Amino acid sequence: MAKYLLLKHYRGAPEPVNSAPMDQWTPEEISAHMRYMQNFADRLEKSGEFVDGQALAPEGTWVRYDGEGKPPVTDGPFAETKDLIAGWMVIDVDSYERAVELAGELSAAPGAGGRPIHEWLELRPFLTASPNVTD
């Protein structure tokens, strides 16, 4: 088994797919999306592939150590957009192919109008320990 982190971003779907941002969805559309996410997690929990997951608030702060004194706090070093993480899920699966399959399925969560949003998900493997080599 290998653990993977699925990161959901607020950026939504590519154009011209169902790319209405979540803050423009109706309460019913948000409920349907959240229900899909919960049903997905419940199914993976039954198969033993779900480890943990959580939705995140859109606001966040970047903090770093900058020598003695108070650490600098900013709204973030963002490349082109303020790409915020909407939530995450940790899965424990038999293969990379299974992780990709599940990420693709999660990408089909409903959005505006109940249509799949085809959102991009970031799939990141957990770093595994380096082998111990002795002479």
Side-chain angles (χ1 to χ4, degrees):
M1 300 289 276
K3 288 185 181 158
Y4 289 87
L5 177 65
L6 297 171
L7 291 172
K8 290 178 61 66
H9 294 264
Y10 277 104
R11 83 172 80 148
E15 292 291 344
V17 184
N18 193 2
S19 63
M22 188 180 254
D23 62 1
Q24 296 175 12
W25 296 0
T26 66
E28 295 78 18
E29 291 166 341
I30 293 171
S31 292
H33 180 82
M34 299 307 286
R35 201 169 33 257
Y36 181 98
M37 299 294 296
Q38 186 60 56
N39 290 341
F40 183 83
D42 290 346
R43 195 180 86 237
L44 294 186
E45 192 167 18
K46 287 178 186 164
S47 71
E49 296 173 306
F50 180 80
V51 176
D52 200 3
Q54 187 67 50
L56 300 172
E59 52 278 341
T61 303
W62 286 76
V63 178
R64 70 166 198 193
Y65 177 75
D66 198 26
E68 293 301 318
K70 200 172 178 182
V73 176
T74 74
D75 70 345
F78 300 101
E80 293 181 25
T81 63
K82 193 169 185 175
D83 193 8
L84 298 173
I85 304 298
W88 53 271
M89 183 178 289
V90 176
I91 57 175
D92 195 359
V93 294
D94 288 328
S95 67
Y96 170 77
E97 291 75 20
R98 177 65 175 155
V100 169
E101 175 186 347
L102 292 174
E105 186 177 334
L106 191 57
S107 172
R115 298 180 319 276
I117 53 179
H118 301 272
E119 69 180 332
W120 285 103
L121 293 173
E122 187 176 352
L123 178 63
R124 306 260 320 253
F126 276 50
L127 186 62
T128 56
S130 300
N132 256 347
V133 178
T134 57
D135 290 329

